[in-house]
Amino acid sequence: MENRIYIVGMGPGREEMMTREALAALEQSDVIVGYTVYLDLLSGRFKGKELLSTPMRQEEKRCRMCFEEAKKGKKTALVCSGDAGIYGMASLMYEIGKEYPQTELVVIPGITAASSGAALLGAPLNHDFCVISLSDLLTPWERIARRLKAAAEGDFAIVLYNPSSRKRKGYLARACDILLSALEPGRPCGIVENIGREGTKTGICTLQELRDREVNMFTTVFIGNSTTEAIGGKLITKRGYPAEQA
Ligand code: SAH
């Protein structure tokens, strides 16, 4: 391989929440490519680097930019929030990479919102869980609805990514209506906003209340399974240890 691109998951935002491997990859790079919001979070520390971005929704262009920079002989990193392989750019990079066989891709994992958000809420994912994105930009809504239903029927704890955006208002309510057809309205749920960034907020409510909550694109939503309990303001999904059953 003649050159290499690091595909770096930077975690939810704060530098402390980035792995040392991720930081080292960015430090070694000449060029850092990413969506502007993430580059802004990094710009303080990586002032000396060339920071390149494309607007949101121009993901393919952003990927191609990486391959072109690498081809010029520059050490290149592509940053994504959380983990680059979870609703991130890693798979598109591999697809486009077919056209650039001389470039090696190295994925560096990051803390995904399910994990960082769960930590703020306590332990809502301490058993089997499903992660479902409510964005129907790339996935038909019917498939999302089918997955929501299946997750509820399977008694999974559920994490919802992309619960809303300016263009997709009302999606969380639609998702809750599907879940409410299988789950009780009092099912404990949690909401986390701006994890690892300024203005972090957490909240616990019931599934019925969740239905009418305002959320934005920097929110991750948690729905408990049948064992989940709100304990002292935290959302706890039990593993089934004997002490927990007492
Ligand atoms: N690759 C990212 C997910 C990108 S999809 C990851 O692994 O975390 C974008 C969605 O992720 C957002 O709509 C939100 O639901 C969630 N998310 C990402 N970063 C977040 C943060 N800092 N705070 C809260 N939610 C976040």
Side-chain angles (χ1 to χ4, degrees), residues 156-216:
F156 287 95
I158 303 169
V159 190
L160 301 179
Y161 281 53
N162 298 303
S164 171
S165 75
R166 251 165 289 154
K167 287 200 187 130
R168 294 184 297 106
K169 287 225 175 298
Y171 276 46
L172 180 59
R174 277 167 80 181
C176 286
D177 285 340
I178 293 170
L179 296 173
L180 280 163
S181 67
L183 307 177
E184 73 285 1
R187 177 64 61 93
C189 296
I191 297 179
V192 191
E193 203 177 300
N194 292 319
I195 305 161
R197 301 181 189 167
E198 214 147 287
T200 304
K201 263 196 246 163
T202 63
I204 290 187
C205 60
T206 65
L207 180 56
Q208 187 64 51
E209 290 162 346
L210 180 67
R211 191 196 176 281
D212 300 313
R213 282 290 166 101
E214 281 277 327
V215 289
N216 60 34

Side-chain angles (χ1 to χ4, degrees), residues 6-10 18 22-23 25-26 77-82 84 106-108:
Y6 288 108
I7 305 171
V8 180
M10 59 177 273
M18 212 186 286
L23 273 174
L26 295 178
L78 171 66
V79 286
C80 291
S81 78
V106 178
V107 181
I108 297 181

Side-chain angles (χ1 to χ4, degrees), residues 42-159:
L42 294 173
S43 58
R45 178 168 181 134
F46 297 102
K47 272 193 206 95
K49 313 279 183 194
E50 204 177 327
L51 302 176
L52 296 180
S53 71
T54 61
M56 218 163 146
R57 309 288 298 277
Q58 295 197 6
E59 282 79 12
E60 184 173 344
K61 206 162 159 191
R62 207 177 308 150
C63 291
R64 290 196 183 276
M65 199 183 242
C66 294
F67 286 103
E68 293 305 322
E69 292 300 312
K71 219 164 138 183
K72 291 181 203 161
K74 295 188 195 168
K75 292 185 194 137
T76 304
L78 171 66
V79 286
C80 291
S81 78
D83 186 292
I86 300 179
Y87 309 118
M89 308 282 281
S91 40
L92 186 55
M93 284 294 285
Y94 278 95
E95 281 179 70
I96 294 174
K98 288 183 206 161
E99 298 167 36
Y100 298 87
Q102 72 281 12
T103 303
E104 181 192 7
L105 297 177
V106 178
V107 181
I108 297 181
I111 302 180
T112 189
S115 188
S116 52
L120 289 169
L121 286 171
L125 304 181
N126 216 346
H127 210 291
D128 301 341
F129 66 95
C130 277
V131 176
I132 300 175
S133 166
L134 295 191
S135 170
D136 62 354
L137 288 176
L138 305 170
T139 306
W141 178 258
E142 298 67 47
R143 196 180 304 161
I144 297 170
R146 179 153 54 90
R147 288 178 178 163
L148 286 166
K149 230 177 267 163
E153 275 159 18
D155 193 20
F156 287 95
I158 303 169
V159 190

Side-chain angles (χ1 to χ4, degrees), residues 1-58:
M1 296 273 178
E2 287 163 30
N3 53 53
R4 171 186 289 178
I5 299 172
Y6 288 108
I7 305 171
V8 180
M10 59 177 273
R14 261 193 298 127
E15 190 181 304
E16 291 82 349
M17 298 181 85
M18 212 186 286
T19 68
R20 291 169 83 137
E21 194 183 19
L23 273 174
L26 295 178
E27 253 150 24
Q28 277 173 40
S29 300
D30 304 309
V31 187
I32 303 177
V33 180
Y35 174 48
T36 32
V37 173
Y38 310 134
L39 291 184
D40 287 348
L41 288 168
L42 294 173
S43 58
R45 178 168 181 134
F46 297 102
K47 272 193 206 95
K49 313 279 183 194
E50 204 177 327
L51 302 176
L52 296 180
S53 71
T54 61
M56 218 163 146
R57 309 288 298 277
Q58 295 197 6

